[in-house]
Amino acid sequence: MTHTDRIMAIAGAVAAALAVLAWVQDRRRLRRSNLDRVGFMPWTPIFFWSLMAAILLLGLSGRAFLGV
């Protein structure tokens, strides 16, 4: 596993953590009790793009880790 593969694995883990955070915040926003407090963060697109980045980065680093 090269240095670049380690960087991709770390970046993929960070993107996965961001996806989990965005997913939790989106669920919290959807279940709010006061419907007038909508917030300003677009949690759904943040979740989508961070999940896509995590899948790609972890897939590429996992491929290098397995030696395929």
Side-chain angles (χ1 to χ4, degrees):
M1 199 166 180
T2 65
H3 183 68
T4 306
D5 298 330
R6 287 188 186 135
I7 290 173
M8 283 194 301
I10 291 169
V14 169
L18 180 63
V20 168
L21 175 70
W23 177 63
V24 168
Q25 293 298 327
D26 194 33
R27 276 186 64 90
R28 184 174 170 228
R29 182 183 60 87
L30 290 174
R31 294 176 177 259
R32 67 187 181 273
S33 59
N34 187 357
L35 296 177
D36 291 333
R37 295 184 58 189
V38 292
F40 65 93
M41 291 298 291
W43 290 115
T44 305
I46 291 172
F47 167 73
F48 175 76
W49 290 112
S50 61
L51 183 66
M52 290 298 294
I55 289 171
L56 290 173
L57 289 168
L58 290 175
L60 288 173
S61 65
R63 184 175 172 201
F65 178 71
L66 293 175
V68 177

